[in-house]
Amino acid sequence: MKLSWTGFSKKSLQERLKFLQDYHLLNENNQANLEYNHTLPLSTADQMSENVIGTFALPYAFVPEVMVDGQVYQVPFVTEEPSVVAAASFAAKMIKRSGGFKTTIHNRQMIGQVALYHVPDIKNAINNIQEKKQKLLELANQAHPSIVKRGGGARHLHAEYLNGEAEFLIVYLTVDTQEAMGANILNTMLEALKTPLEELSGGKSLMAILSNYATEALVTATCEIDIRFLDRNKSEALDIAKKIVLASQFAKQDPYRASTHNKGIFNGIDAVVLATGNDWRAIEAGAHAYASRNGTYQGLTTWSIKEATQTLYGEITLPLPIATKGGSIGLNPTVQVSFDLLNQPTAKELASIIASIGLAQNFAALKALVSTGIQQGHMKLQAKSLALLAGAQDTEISPLVSQLISEKNFSLKRAQEILEDFRQKS
Ligand code: NDP
């Protein structure tokens, strides 16, 4: 049976689950997990955080046909925002037709810092630390031997003088954390270096902590979209491509736009980061710092037109220290469904998928913004949210949505009035 996703979004929830099972994309365990809502057990949740009194659910969806480096993935999305999944699916499908995403993992190491203050002789301290670099790296590795056994471990160390409102000597440690994000691995190593660094510098240690500005875990995703796919009308298609290029330039020049531009990118990135049990605060913090690396906050994507191939070329680069092990990843049963759907990717593969999703989401948003406007696509979903909020039952939702759209009135009050009216007439 050839796999075709046409009409998938129109199926009922039960039909979608059956479809996935028929095509062996979901095993029985995972199907039961999703169907009977076997989400995070309370006893596990109670171990994960403090003062736990329950769990909190969000919609779990996926974007089919995301082609990354020649592989096609069904990408799990956890998001409460209407139209995000639809937009990503639209973009991923068009980009697949144009050859898919290509990605580069520039490196996959984490950086941590020990901040020293009251250092009497900075030059002497830097020399001492430099001289003992190998010994310090060994000490770091001895503090977390299991990551060394797994092929990772401390790789580099250097010290930098910071002179601003206060004076600091900052020691940076770079660690290969393999499949883990590495916060606890780094923090353990850094704390083991505090006393030796105080002795070598003559200063005091203020703190020893991982940096979320993961510039040694940069990932680039690119795509080349055939301009003809942007519109049936050839000149309209070229016009849309040019406007997408302008939109990406706008987001480089204006932080007010850049913030919204990047929010759209994170609609997709956060959804996958959440679905795979990763720390979305860490990913957001690193990416926003990276977006400000030139001294002003800028859009994370760049779009240009390649005249020779008549393609729209998109590129995103951001820090993505994504994990497949550690943290809460092994604890949440639905996270396991995500890893099964993605066919058990490595941390690098998952980072490549996530960067690609960010680029897809940005393409969909920019295309809508420079052509039909964002509200057209959102209207139906907005009306649906209002219908649900107004208390519409299954059979009432569709007529209520149609009525709201035809009236172009998207207020909860109006949704409630129409619903009341329907009920009186029936
Ligand atoms: P863990 O503390 O869970 O450490 C990862 C563990 O995964 C390792 O200790 C290792 O166990 C195990 N593991 C199994 N297989 C592998 C493999 N192939 N490669 C690497 N590790 C493997 O997670 P992290 O150190 O990654 O820390 C992430 C957690 O820290 C997240 O929950 C995050 O929210 C939190 N955090 C984040 C901070 C930040 O971002 N600033 C600060 C503090 C915490 P073994 O020991 O057997 O090798």
Side-chain angles (χ1 to χ4, degrees):
M1 240 190 324
K2 192 174 174 295
L3 177 61
S4 163
W5 294 97
T6 310
F8 184 78
S9 63
K10 305 275 182 297
K11 291 183 193 296
S12 71
L13 200 156
Q14 298 305 325
E15 286 169 342
R16 277 182 220 136
L17 284 170
K18 180 159 185 327
F19 179 96
L20 291 181
Q21 216 186 10
D22 287 349
Y23 285 98
H24 308 290
L25 296 169
L26 208 56
N27 64 32
E28 261 176 45
N29 256 352
N30 289 339
Q31 156 116 12
N33 179 320
L34 295 174
E35 196 167 8
Y36 302 107
N37 209 6
H38 291 166
T39 48
L40 189 60
L42 270 180
S43 53
T44 311
D46 197 20
Q47 301 302 320
M48 286 167 70
S49 182
E50 306 77 36
N51 293 359
V52 169
I53 53 169
T55 58
F56 181 95
L58 284 170
Y60 182 81
F62 75 95
V63 172
E65 300 192 275
V66 182
M67 190 177 190
V68 181
D69 299 324
Q71 289 273 342
V72 179
Y73 297 93
Q74 275 53 259
V75 182
F77 265 50
V78 170
T79 181
E80 86 299 349
E81 186 172 339
S83 90
V84 166
V85 172
S89 303
F90 157 81
K93 196 170 169 186
M94 190 182 289
I95 292 166
K96 180 168 169 256
R97 276 174 75 201
S98 302
F101 299 94
K102 299 199 172 39
T103 70
T104 311
I105 304 279
H106 300 275
N107 202 347
R108 178 60 177 76
Q109 295 183 356
M110 293 304 283
I111 302 166
Q113 304 171 292
V114 179
L116 300 161
Y117 67 105
H118 287 175
V119 177
D121 182 341
I122 294 282
K123 209 169 164 202
N124 189 39
I126 293 179
N127 282 342
N128 287 348
I129 291 167
Q130 195 57 32
E131 255 174 42
K132 292 279 186 257
K133 184 176 149 178
Q134 278 315 318
K135 182 73 199 154
L136 290 164
L137 289 174
E138 275 167 35
L139 283 176
N141 282 330
Q142 281 162 16
H144 211 299
S146 61
I147 196 64
V148 180
K149 282 204 197 99
R150 294 184 189 281
R155 295 287 186 256
H156 305 287
L157 181 142
H158 77 280
E160 273 181 35
Y161 173 51
L162 280 191
N163 186 10
E165 212 171 308
E167 274 195 350
F168 295 103
L169 183 65
I170 310 295
V171 178
Y172 294 88
L173 178 71
T174 313
V175 181
D176 177 344
T177 58
Q178 296 280 298
E179 292 292 305
M181 191 262 254
N184 292 312
I185 296 171
L186 260 289
N187 294 343
T188 307
M189 288 184 170
L190 293 162
E191 284 189 8
L193 295 184
K194 271 164 83 168
T195 307
L197 286 172
E198 283 184 338
E199 285 166 7
L200 286 169
S201 67
K204 287 186 183 312
S205 128
L206 180 67
M207 64 175 77
I209 183 81
L210 164 101
S211 167
N212 287 110
Y213 190 26
T215 52
E216 294 298 322
L218 293 181
V219 182
T220 297
T222 64
C223 65
E224 256 184 71
I225 303 169
D226 193 326
I227 290 176
R228 287 174 310 168
F229 296 162
L230 298 180
D231 198 276
R232 286 210 175 96
N233 178 310
K234 213 173 154 194
S235 81
E236 182 62 23
L238 184 58
D239 198 41
I240 291 174
K242 285 180 182 164
K243 286 181 182 168
I244 290 175
V245 174
L246 269 177
S248 85
Q249 289 163 345
F250 177 23
K252 298 273 188 220
Q253 292 171 31
D254 176 8
Y256 285 91
R257 173 59 206 150
S259 166
T260 322
H261 182 96
N262 289 346
K263 190 275 180 184
I265 292 170
F266 278 93
N267 277 342
I269 290 184
D270 280 351
V272 191
V273 169
L274 262 167
T276 55
N278 272 275
D279 182 337
W280 72 96
R281 289 87 55 205
I283 298 300
E284 288 257 2
H288 294 305
Y290 190 71
S292 310
R293 70 194 178 285
N294 296 329
T296 166
Y297 187 83
Q298 295 182 309
L300 285 163
T301 57
T302 307
W303 292 91
S304 59
I305 290 174
K306 288 198 170 180
E307 299 287 349
T309 46
Q310 278 301 292
T311 47
L312 176 67
Y313 176 80
E315 184 174 321
I316 186 169
T317 298
L318 75 167
L320 279 176
I322 294 294
T324 61
K325 296 282 189 294
S328 70
I329 289 170
L331 301 175
N332 189 328
T334 317
V335 167
Q336 294 314 307
V337 179
S338 298
F339 279 100
D340 282 348
L341 266 176
L342 290 167
N343 218 359
Q344 304 298 334
T346 63
K348 287 180 180 174
E349 284 164 349
L350 185 51
S352 291
I353 295 167
I354 292 174
S356 303
I357 286 293
L359 189 57
Q361 207 80 50
N362 180 245
F363 167 69
L366 295 188
K367 180 172 182 298
L369 279 168
V370 302
S371 53
T372 51
I374 210 84
Q375 274 317 96
Q376 183 160 315
H378 277 232
M379 255 179 343
K380 192 163 177 201
L381 293 155
Q382 197 188 345
K384 199 167 171 190
S385 298
L386 284 173
L388 289 171
L389 273 176
Q393 301 300 306
D394 277 357
T395 53
E396 296 167 330
I397 294 173
S398 178
L400 179 50
V401 166
S402 304
Q403 184 70 25
L404 286 168
I405 291 175
S406 73
E407 288 185 17
K408 290 201 170 67
N409 184 341
F410 298 102
S411 73
L412 179 58
K413 189 165 171 288
R414 184 63 194 136
Q416 287 163 334
E417 283 167 8
I418 300 170
L419 187 60
E420 190 59 42
D421 195 39
F422 281 171
R423 287 179 180 169
Q424 274 171 11
K425 283 182 186 153
S426 66

